[in-house]
Amino acid sequence: MIARVRLDLRLPKEFDYRIPPELDGQIDVGSRVKVPFGTREALGCVVALVDSSPRQDLRPILRAVGGASLLTPKVLELARWVADYYCCPLELALKSALPEAVRREQAGWKHQLWVRARPRTGDPPKLTPRQIEIWQVIQEWREMPLSQLLRIAQTTPDTIRRLEDRGLVTIQSQVSERDPYGQEELVATQPLELNPEQAAALASITAAHDPHRPPPVFLLHGVTGSGKTEVYLQAIAQTLRQDRGAIVLVPEISLTPQTVERFKARFQASEWRTLVAVLHSQLSAGERHDEWHKIRQGRARIVIGPRSAVFAPVDPLGLIIVDEEHEHSYKQEEAPRYHARDVAVVRGRQEGAVVVLGSATPSLESYYNARRGKYRLLELPARIDDRRLPVVRVVDLRLAQRKEKGPAIFSAPLLEAMRQRLERREQTMLFLNRRGYATSLQCPRCGYVAGCPNCSLSLTYHRQVQQLRCHLCGYAAPAPQACPQTGCANPAIRFSGLGTEKVETSLAKLLPQARITRMDSDTLKRKDDYRRILSEFRVGKIDILVGTQMIAKGLHFPNVTLVGIVYADLGLHLPDFRAGERTFQLLTQVAGRAGRGDVEGEVFIQAFTPFHPAIQYARRHDYVGFYEQEIEFRAQLNYPPVVRFAILTLEGRNEEKVSFSAGYLKKQLDQRLAGWKDLAVSEAAPAPLLRAESYYRYQILIRCPAMGRLSRELAALVTSIALPEDIRLTVDVDPVNLM
Ligand code: ADP
Ligand code: ZN
């Protein structure tokens, strides 16, 4: 037998190796193997087993890595699709499909020494008083990890060995599974009785498990608090009854302990006793290794994770849920630039699994597909128990300007509403999607603006640490006391623009009695800060929580009755055709945090452009209205989802070279794609963000009605085109980031 191996190295081909007799039966499609390569050794994945090879004198595989085959043939097929569609080499797609901790052979099961009391026979041996003490501890516990015993009994391994010599205990090495949620106390939950809309949605989803037909994709459009998660939970229960597993994709930012608990409490702590595996980036390599293998071994049949969990080796797979399907974090911003929602849809088709996409604000793409009959639309139009959606008031900041100094941060009505909440001991969330204190530093005398030396962006002032920072590349410098321009040195430099840090400090002055906490990536320093702040908020130790989009998503705090959006139009005027959609989604999500308990919620949206459709439709909770006008605009201007985009980006340190290469690439594209119908290739142009992390960037945009054939053509072009060494070409299919 011969194994065809894709090496982890960046080589766009496969190599054949002989399977030596001693590895007979251990190598399968999907196995990870160590093989000789030139004078070195390399790791790779077996992608096929074949009978003959065009090459003679094949070298043997050295070793199988990590036990049985790691990639299932199904996941391998999925990775191939990803590589083809997103124009990337297969080895990169395989890299995404297997977590690093599993791929590399370093991480493995953790072994721990356990001490166990042996059943006593005959006379007890003579022991010293100290040994008797320890022996009593062991007898009491019967068995425990050696490390724990050493700690409890304040003793040394040698002492325990002596007890072993006397035949009193055994010491054995055994696998100990790391459980990242081990300490959590779970209270089992039972299925809730569904309201009629939920029941109808569930019935459609479960009726879809038909082995004779390709399973449909559902779009579950339910307002915030409409009980989507309960529908997911019961759909998963149905899937388990059919002996199949489920994958639940959740945006990394919403993958909170609260979310995980809801799934574990239903399936792991209850009579289901089904392990729920969690894969997310906060896990240690060892934890991830263990979680992944629990899935591979079929012990965990429910997986929760961010985008990469779409590759989890659940087999057989019956259901994939993509919660908050509109979230952009489902798109990976480095190769393979896949969109997990779309990969989920493909995987569902390949494996006969039902796919449910859920959101309060579906992406234009998904709603468009539902309207065209590609997906089936399920709707939960009301909140649970007829709780009302919050009242949303839009405040025109142009009118609320304070006369004395600059624009107001808090309009009078918002400030008054916060005061009321303090008196009533209710809670407030204040949202601003920009961290730092001030977003630019200018010198009014010479016109100097502090910009990042590596990026075409201005630097943000962080007051607490007295630094200027670039939010793209991380560049940081001490904040100057005077204008740094030579010959100017004006001490009256001006900070302008607003970030969460300033919101927090200004608020503390206005409402000195309030307990205010800020949550953004600057205040989260340790691993458990996120959890700690949220639980303090939950128990009422915080009156007002100020934060970035980190507090916008998926949190459920019944005592929050007021939400303030400080500047709603921050993201509206970016050079990106999705700016309106993003703003609408964000406002709706943030507003959805209010009034989730018994008291009705109130939301203030402060804006400089209060009549923008994204703000007005969000105010009325009118998704469909927003969709209708937005899709018309997309159709008129030929934007997705009405057409497909692919963006080719060229990057390099020398702008002239990048621009020249872009012109050359444009010519090549025009030649190759001449005669293609309905396809448009833009001119090569500087990217909106011309310089990022000291690389200049030029782009070419291709619009086309469908992607499949174009992907193949682009992949061929990328591998054959001759570009200067220091120019990098990337292809982004269905981009979500146009900057
Ligand atoms: P969504 O995911 O749509 O935002 P959730 O699933 O978080 O909504 O539901 C909001 C709240 O309503 C949760 O506390 C949930 O336990 C509760 N809930 C959901 N369905 C029901 C039901 N059928 N009966 C009673 N409470 C429910
Ligand atoms: Zn920078």
Side-chain angles (χ1 to χ4, degrees), residues 454-506:
N454 311 319
C455 310
S456 23
L457 282 179
S458 61
L459 295 171
T460 300
Y461 172 54
H462 290 251
R463 195 168 83 161
Q464 214 167 4
V465 288
Q466 282 295 318
Q467 275 185 345
L468 293 175
R469 287 187 183 166
C470 173
H471 285 183
L472 183 67
C473 71
Y475 170 87
Q481 304 299 316
C483 176
Q485 198 82 307
T486 29
C488 180
N490 176 13
I493 42 177
R494 207 167 58 211
F495 294 97
S496 59
L498 180 64
T500 43
E501 196 183 345
K502 184 160 185 190
V503 171
E504 182 194 17
T505 42
S506 314

Side-chain angles (χ1 to χ4, degrees), residues 192-195 198 223-230 262 384-385 556 596:
L192 300 172
E193 196 177 318
L194 299 181
N195 66 27
Q198 285 176 311
V223 298
T224 53
S226 59
K228 293 186 287 296
T229 310
E230 187 61 32
R262 280 179 84 174
I384 289 295
D385 292 338
H556 180 77
R596 294 174 74 96

Side-chain angles (χ1 to χ4, degrees), residues 222-276:
V223 298
T224 53
S226 59
K228 293 186 287 296
T229 310
E230 187 61 32
V231 175
Y232 302 154
L233 290 167
Q234 300 198 20
I236 293 171
Q238 282 289 350
T239 308
L240 293 177
R241 277 185 204 108
Q242 295 167 342
D243 277 328
R244 291 166 157 232
I247 296 175
V248 183
L249 299 184
V250 177
E252 181 90 49
I253 198 169
S254 323
L255 193 54
T256 57
Q258 209 182 346
T259 312
V260 172
E261 253 169 60
R262 280 179 84 174
F263 288 84
K264 290 209 166 197
R266 182 66 56 86
F267 295 108
Q268 192 163 301
S270 69
E271 65 272 23
W272 282 102
R273 299 253 160 255
T274 299
L275 281 183
V276 176

